[in-house]
Each structure stands twice: as structure tokens, then as C-alpha cells.
Amino acid sequence: MAQQIEKVGVLGAGLMGHGIAQVAAQSGYEVVLREVDDATLQKGIGRIEKQLARAVEKGKSSQEDADAVRGRIHGTVDYGELASCDLVIEAITESLPLKLEMWRELDGIVKPEAVFATNTSSLSVIDQAAATGRPERFVGLHYFNPAQVMKLVEVVRCVTTSDEAFETALQFARSEGKLAIPTKDKAGFIVNRLLVPYMLDAIRAFEEGVGSAGEIDEAMKAGAGHPMGPLTLADFVGLDTLGSICDVLFEEFRERRFAQPPTLRKMLSAGWFGRKSGIGFYDYSGETPSENTGI
Ligand code: 3HC
């Protein structure tokens, strides 16, 4: 039987965390959104407020509803405010040491019956679960960017997850109107295992001169019906995030399809992380993105 969830803690108000917090608040949950400092927290909350205002402008939400959603989100920089959460979802930097440090601290603060969930895109769930005193109440809840729009949540069961915690996570994702797909704790789960080699292959095709970035992207949109071409998608996900996911997958499977192509490695050294840094396969400094001719 699933546990009752009323209050949700979200760690990290970045690209994924702010969206995860917004979706939970829109689904009626009280949300405590935690960031490391106030400036980063306000940036994340600002993004949520912008989305809510846009929904009101478009007539998709009433001002009253938008205010109620915003009112359910409480921002903090203090772990202590997560003590009474029923479910805590982490969406911090994709670094195992940082995640372990965070869970160890939270484990002593958050009530013992609460379920912990990681939004990791590639790290093993069990490695995080085992660092807590509640490995049976630990799952993966993997959202997709933008979390407000993408329908899927992968619900990951690791070897220690209890039936009750897994059912709680499945029902929670469904209560947010998401399609909850159960999957095993195998690096990359379902989507990234397939999507990451696809984006890497697009980078290899670009390296080999099969087409320009724009040609590769337009071809996949028009020829395969994808909403975004693979290089636009790589910029959208973040080339740094893509780089760390493929490093984890390569480490796990030792297969060439998961290896960073040299172009990606060089772009990361240059600090070209895609849309978030203003430049990647495209340059985002103008009105509309243009191809980065410096690659
Ligand atoms: N936050 C909230 N809402 C957003 C948004 C955002 N960042 N971006 C777009 N939207 C909303 C818009 O407001 C609009 O809402 P409306 O229909 O109510 O008006 C709707 O989404 C459609 O947006 P647009 O009309 O501006 O643009 P598009 O139709 O091109 O859609 C897109 C944008 C939804 C991002 C679409 O291009 C898309 O689906 N792209 C692929 C995204 C994808 O593959 N994501 C997965 C990445 S992999 C991942 O996340 C895993 C991780 O582990 C790496």
C-alpha cells in the first residue's frame, strides 16, 4: 500500500528542480524548495513565477490558481525545513560525492518514514540508497526537461526498495498527471540509454561532415518527426550534463557508443555548455539561435 504524501521537499532549484517543484505544487502538494544560497533559490523561484504568469497570460490558468500554486512553494536554504516532508526529491548537481554528502545530512533531519527519491539521470540509485539509513524507502524518480511539459517519469526500483515505497513513488508520479514507467536501476534507465548514444551519434555525424548542425537537426525533425533535432536537444539538455551522463554510461558499460566524441570534449573544455551558457552547437546571443561556426 502506498504512503500518504502531502508535503514534498525538492533539493535544487536549477533546470530540473524548479520544474519538479512547480509540477508538485500544481498537483496540490505543499513544496519546500531548497537551494544552497538565496541568489540561486530566487533564480529558480523566478523561473516558476515566469511560467505561472505566462500560463495566466495565455488563459491556461486563472490568476487565483497561479497564486495558489506559488503559495504552496516555500523556498529555503535550510535543510531543517524539510524535516516534516513525506517525500524528498533531489535534483542537485549530477555528482555522486555531492549527492551522498547531502543525503547523509538529510537522513538525520527528515522524519524516518519519509521516502527519498533521486532524479539522477545516470548514477546508480543503490549507491545513494545505501548511504542512508532508509535504503528500503529510496527510489529513483527521473523527470525529463522541461519537467512541466514532458509526460514521462521513470520510476526506478533499486535492489533495496520496498514494495510500499515503490508503489508510493508510482502513485505520486501518476497523481501529477505523469506517465509513470517502472524501470530497473541500470545506468541510463530506459530513455537515456537510448537517447544519449543517439545524441552522441549526431555529434559524430557532425564531426564527419555528414551535415551542418542545422542540416542534421532539420533532417531529424522533418524525417523522423522529432520535436527538436539532436544537436539542439544536446544544447537544451546541457552539454556538460550530456558529458557527465555519457561518462557514467561509458564507465558502466565500456562501450564506444557511450564515449564522448572529441568535439564534445573540446566544447566542454571551452565552457560551451549549450543553451545555459549561451553557446553550444548554436549561439544563443542573438534574437534567434544561429549555428556556432567556431566548432
Ligand atoms: N518550462 C515550462 N513550459 C515550457 C517550457 C519550459 N522550459 N518550454 C516550453 N514550455 C511549454 C510552453 O509554454 C508551451 O505551452 P502551451 O502549449 O501551454 O502554450 C509548450 O511547452 C510548447 O512550447 P513551445 O510552443 O514554446 O515550443 P515547442 O512546441 O517547440 O515545445 C518543447 C518545446 C516541449 C521543449 C519541445 O521542443 C520538445 O518536446 N523538445 C524535446 C524535449 C526533450 O526531448 N526533452 C527530454 C530531454 S532528455 C532529459 O531531460 C533527460 C535528462 O536526464 C538529460
Side-chain angles (χ1 to χ4, degrees):
M1 216 181 72
Q3 285 175 231
Q4 178 87 2
I5 305 291
E6 283 169 14
K7 194 169 176 185
V8 178
V10 178
L11 295 147
L15 200 61
M16 295 309 297
H18 87 277
I20 293 171
Q22 186 181 331
V23 172
Q26 281 170 348
S27 309
Y29 295 102
E30 287 300 320
V31 176
V32 182
L33 177 59
R34 195 262 174 189
E35 252 302 349
V36 284
D37 59 55
D38 200 53
T40 319
L41 176 65
Q42 292 316 324
K43 198 173 158 202
I45 290 180
R47 277 169 139 168
I48 296 173
E49 287 172 345
K50 209 166 142 190
Q51 297 294 339
L52 294 174
R54 203 172 288 163
V56 173
E57 264 168 42
K58 285 184 184 167
K60 302 218 160 184
S61 160
S62 67
Q63 187 63 54
E64 202 185 3
D65 283 350
D67 291 345
V69 171
R70 174 65 190 89
R72 283 195 284 274
I73 302 173
H74 172 70
T76 184
V77 292
D78 180 8
Y79 281 140
E81 300 209 34
L82 284 101
S84 60
C85 287
D86 306 299
L87 169 69
V88 176
I89 307 170
E90 76 76 24
I92 68 164
T93 310
E94 195 68 344
S95 149
L96 187 60
L98 285 182
K99 288 187 198 285
L100 295 187
E101 191 187 319
M102 181 209 70
W103 285 128
R104 286 191 185 110
E105 189 158 353
L106 268 180
D107 203 24
I109 294 172
V110 181
K111 60 182 183 183
E113 63 272 29
V115 173
F116 281 178
T118 172
N119 178 56
T120 183
S121 42
S122 54
L123 298 169
S124 288
V125 176
I126 185 60
D127 288 350
Q128 294 180 59
T132 71
R134 61 185 89 195
E136 71 288 2
R137 276 188 303 286
F138 204 108
V139 294
L141 276 174
H142 185 216
Y143 289 78
F144 293 81
N145 180 26
Q148 296 94 329
V149 181
M150 304 306 284
K151 198 87 183 114
L152 177 67
V153 175
E154 289 176 320
V155 183
V156 188
R157 178 173 208 146
C158 71
V159 285
T160 52
T161 310
S162 68
D163 289 344
E164 189 187 19
F166 193 62
E167 194 53 37
T168 301
L170 277 173
Q171 287 201 17
F172 172 75
R174 287 178 189 142
S175 76
E176 292 187 318
K178 299 293 187 190
L179 174 68
I181 302 235
T183 184
K184 283 187 184 165
D185 186 18
K186 276 220 152 200
F189 314 126
I190 297 172
V191 173
N192 280 339
R193 187 190 179 114
L194 302 176
L195 192 61
V196 168
Y198 159 67
M199 286 188 274
L200 298 181
D201 259 345
I203 299 174
R204 290 185 194 105
F206 171 81
E207 276 174 347
E208 289 169 23
V210 173
S212 67
E215 285 163 349
I216 291 171
D217 279 345
E218 287 308 314
M220 288 309 291
K221 277 166 69 184
H226 292 189
M228 273 179 177
L231 300 174
T232 301
L233 183 61
D235 273 2
F236 181 72
V237 166
L239 299 181
D240 53 338
T241 303
L242 176 62
S244 53
I245 298 174
C246 63
D247 284 352
V248 172
L249 293 177
F250 185 76
E251 188 64 27
E252 183 81 5
F253 300 112
R254 303 281 167 169
E255 289 177 23
R256 183 185 176 271
R257 65 194 170 118
F258 297 117
Q260 280 196 30
T263 299
L264 177 62
R265 207 165 37 73
K266 285 177 197 160
M267 291 174 79
L268 294 181
S269 298
W272 294 350
F273 297 157
R275 212 184 266 201
K276 66 170 85 160
S277 69
I279 190 154
F281 286 96
Y282 296 87
D283 181 341
Y284 298 90
S285 58
E287 281 259 302
T288 52
S290 57
E291 284 186 43
N292 176 359
T293 50
I295 306 169

